[in-house]
Amino acid sequence: VAERLIEAPRAHAEKLLSLVEESLALASVRLADLDGFAVSIGPGSFTGLRIGLSTAKGFAFATGKPVLAVPTLAALAYEAVRSELVGEDEYIVPMIDARRDEVYMAIYRRSGQLAAELSPARAIRLHEIPVLLPKLGRLLLMGDGAEKFFRSSNPLVSTRIQRCVYPSGGGGASKEDGGFQVCTRAVLVR
């Protein structure tokens, strides 16, 4: 398995195919060797999602392999479960920056090896987040939207936050933190 990550806003179409090519070379596999193609269906940037879906559809057409649509927030929640960042019945709140004063957010609860959806993905204004969070139990807020929420100077941030994690990119996280980078500001809420 291989991963390539770049942070180049508005360069999806220009960079995606070369990144796929590099990843395949790093993993020593050909596109035809893959069993299928997973692709994010959002929430996220409309243009980025459209480019990703079109590319996956092109790969599927060329190889005859299936495409699996993956909701972005559900993938983040599942990774928190898989990496054991949350215990049984604890809440997972993945957030993605939606620009301006909003994030895309959903609420999940760990149930065995699954992340059960309690509240579907939607765009939420930063000041509305505390009202939507469960009042009892431990919560893991994660993703770049969580970092945006922490910077918003909401009173909840200073009173209930313990630690913050977000998915690592480019292998920057150590084995001890389960493939996630730990932010300097806390995010696990009780």
Side-chain angles (χ1 to χ4, degrees):
V1 177
E3 176 185 51
R4 298 292 293 146
L5 176 73
I6 61 166
E7 291 194 30
R10 293 180 273 294
H12 302 94
E14 179 185 336
K15 306 284 185 185
L16 181 58
L17 293 177
S18 62
L19 293 171
V20 169
E21 197 172 86
E22 290 175 24
S23 295
L24 291 170
L26 282 171
S28 300
V29 297
R30 298 173 308 133
L31 194 64
D33 296 332
L34 301 176
D35 294 329
F37 307 96
V39 62
S40 173
I41 57 169
S45 152
F46 177 75
T47 301
L49 292 171
R50 188 177 62 198
I51 291 166
L53 288 164
S54 298
T55 302
K57 186 175 179 181
F59 290 162
F61 181 76
T63 62
K65 305 289 175 79
V67 173
L68 174 65
V70 180
T72 308
L73 297 174
L76 288 171
Y78 175 75
E79 182 60 21
V81 170
R82 191 189 69 74
S83 299
E84 298 188 7
L85 294 172
V86 291
E88 187 68 22
D89 291 324
E90 291 183 346
Y91 298 97
I92 308 157
V93 186
M95 298 178 186
I96 298 173
D97 188 349
R99 308 234 174 143
R100 298 197 176 143
D101 198 25
E102 294 184 329
V103 297
Y104 297 114
M105 173 183 132
I107 300 174
Y108 297 83
R109 189 176 212 169
R110 181 177 179 161
S111 177
Q113 294 304 307
L114 301 175
E117 185 181 76
L118 301 179
S119 174
R122 59 184 163 168
I124 273 301
R125 297 190 61 78
L126 293 173
H127 72 273
E128 296 172 322
I129 293 172
V131 175
L132 298 173
L133 294 175
K135 302 298 180 228
L136 300 173
R138 296 180 62 165
L139 299 102
L140 173 67
L141 281 64
M142 61 188 299
D144 65 351
E147 186 62 27
K148 180 178 181 176
F149 172 62
F150 302 138
R151 290 191 311 264
S152 73
S153 71
N154 187 294
L156 174 71
V157 172
S158 62
T159 60
R160 294 183 62 200
I161 305 238
Q162 293 181 343
R163 72 182 179 97
C164 164
V165 297
Y166 54 95
S168 68
S174 70
K175 189 175 185 180
E176 290 75 32
D177 62 21
F180 281 70
Q181 295 175 342
V182 180
C183 304
T184 54
R185 203 177 284 197
V187 171
L188 193 58
V189 181
R190 287 187 187 200

